[in-house]
Amino acid sequence: MAKTVFITGATGLLGRIVFNSFVNAGWTTVGAGFSRAKPPSILKVDLEDQAAIETTLDDIKPHIIIHCAANRFPDQCEADPDSTRALNIASSRRLALAASSRSIFLIYLSTDYVFSGRPGEAPYEATSTPNPPNLYGQTKLAGEKAVLEVCENTGLAVVLRVPVLYGHAETNAESAVNVLIDAVWKAAQDKDAQGPTEMDDYSLRYPTNTEDVARVIVDIANRYLIADEARVAMPKILQFSGEQRFTKYQMCQIFAGILGLPLDRMVGKGEDKDTKVARPYDTHLSTKVLKDLGVDVKSMDFTDWWKREMKAYRR
């Protein structure tokens, strides 16, 4: 029987790759966007409109929903907390209610920022106690709780936490990793700058490729759908992460090396205690639960992937 998937945030950095991965896996795939909707494959759906959500689900009749839509930029979250809560929390609950009442399985994409990331705490297990350092993490954690609460007795939802993502992007600004390429170019070309560009060389990150995340999501979808009623006893919180560790400055060094650019006008800086939006030091996620389910948790080599991708960035 043909399987149908509905993907929110299907025009975003991760959503586009998830969409293509389900298409390639033979699923009937429908996405939702808003400002970048492209009917009939990417529908314009207002996730703050309960009636619109229900009508869309009744029309598509998906077996599973992948909820990628979110405000995922910490600075933007702090600048507009009301709309962030509306999308990350209220819309997630709204979608879960509509899905659960129709027996549709939901995968909710969450973040490593649900953890404090204080030195010495990582790696975090799926069962570790969350303590978000900023509004972004707080709203994503609240979204987790809302979705799991709605589906508590049905087993129709699972949370997948992932760290900072990189991959094919429409603009570098879509990814906190890709955008570092712009910083490298600027540092190399801005000869009139008053001083060197400072880049974080303190906080540890585990950049994870969107293609790896999408592969894992397809695997999870298949496993949980096949489980049927037995999924009530299956894990409700899953975590996936790349295992290579870098600071932002170290990633810039890699990009500069691949591009053949000098990096003498950029310097690494230590902990920034005056930042407006708190960010964690190390939120490395354990993938043990996925491994126990038999999911392949391997991830692409960061430098190798960028060596192939950088052909499009050479100027």
Side-chain angles (χ1 to χ4, degrees):
M1 181 180 70
K3 295 174 289 187
T4 300
V5 60
F6 178 57
I7 302 164
T8 71
T11 59
L13 177 73
L14 178 60
R16 291 192 302 270
I17 306 303
V18 172
F19 185 98
N20 292 336
S21 294
F22 274 99
V23 170
N24 294 336
W27 289 59
T28 298
T29 307
V30 181
F34 193 73
S35 61
R36 294 182 287 180
K38 299 176 183 178
S41 59
I42 308 293
L43 306 178
K44 185 173 183 177
V45 181
D46 183 357
L47 295 179
E48 296 186 22
D49 185 336
Q50 186 72 37
I53 292 172
E54 293 178 355
T55 298
T56 300
L57 296 184
D58 289 338
D59 289 343
I60 298 171
K61 295 179 172 58
H63 296 87
I64 192 165
I65 298 170
I66 315 299
H67 186 29
C68 296
N71 185 342
R72 56 187 176 81
F73 297 101
D75 293 327
Q76 292 181 10
C77 290
E78 297 286 347
D80 193 353
D82 290 341
S83 66
T84 296
R85 292 187 181 96
L87 179 58
N88 291 0
I89 306 173
S91 290
S92 298
R93 178 183 290 276
R94 202 174 287 120
L95 191 62
L97 286 167
S100 182
S101 66
R102 291 163 175 77
S103 298
I104 302 169
F105 188 70
L106 172 66
I107 298 178
Y108 171 88
L109 269 294
S110 191
T111 173
D112 57 339
Y113 272 40
V114 299
F115 295 114
S116 66
R118 288 190 290 260
E121 291 186 352
Y124 292 97
E125 301 294 337
T127 55
S128 296
T129 302
N131 185 16
N134 55 37
L135 183 65
Y136 168 59
Q138 292 164 12
T139 58
K140 290 302 291 180
L141 178 61
E144 286 186 14
K145 292 178 178 179
V147 166
L148 293 179
E149 181 182 87
V150 168
C151 303
E152 181 178 7
N153 298 319
T154 63
L156 284 170
V158 68
V159 168
L160 176 63
R161 295 171 179 156
V162 296
V164 64
L165 303 179
Y166 72 95
H168 297 291
E170 291 184 351
T171 67
N172 285 339
E174 284 190 311
S175 162
V177 176
N178 293 42
V179 76
L180 296 176
I181 297 169
D182 295 342
V184 169
W185 276 106
K186 183 178 180 180
Q189 296 177 334
D190 193 0
K191 298 179 180 180
D192 297 325
Q194 295 298 313
T197 299
E198 292 186 335
M199 184 60 65
D200 181 12
D201 197 25
Y202 172 75
S203 301
L204 304 178
R205 297 292 176 257
Y206 298 81
T208 302
N209 195 282
T210 51
E211 294 173 47
D212 288 326
V213 177
R215 185 198 74 242
V216 167
I217 290 173
V218 173
D219 195 346
I220 292 169
N222 284 320
R223 290 174 187 273
Y224 275 73
L225 283 183
I226 291 172
D228 200 19
E229 294 181 0
R231 62 176 165 248
V232 173
M234 294 175 71
K236 302 299 185 295
I237 299 178
L238 310 174
Q239 298 182 157
F240 177 64
S241 174
E243 295 299 324
Q244 292 176 288
R245 181 178 68 191
F246 306 99
T247 65
K248 286 187 176 181
Y249 181 63
Q250 288 171 335
M251 285 187 266
C252 286
Q253 289 177 312
I254 291 172
F255 292 151
I258 295 172
L259 291 168
L261 294 173
L263 205 62
D264 54 307
R265 293 189 181 88
M266 179 181 289
V267 296
K269 69 174 181 178
E271 181 181 8
D272 186 355
K273 296 183 179 180
D274 296 324
T275 181
K276 293 181 179 179
V277 180
R279 283 171 167 79
Y281 166 68
D282 181 0
T283 52
H284 188 203
L285 298 173
S286 166
T287 59
K288 181 180 183 302
V289 177
L290 282 178
K291 291 176 183 176
D292 290 345
L293 288 173
V295 175
D296 182 0
V297 296
K298 71 174 182 293
S299 56
M300 298 183 192
D301 181 87
F302 183 81
T303 302
D304 288 348
W305 189 88
W306 278 109
K307 283 180 178 177
R308 295 190 297 271
E309 179 71 6
M310 282 293 189
K311 294 177 182 178
Y313 287 88
R314 294 185 182 276
R315 299 180 183 177

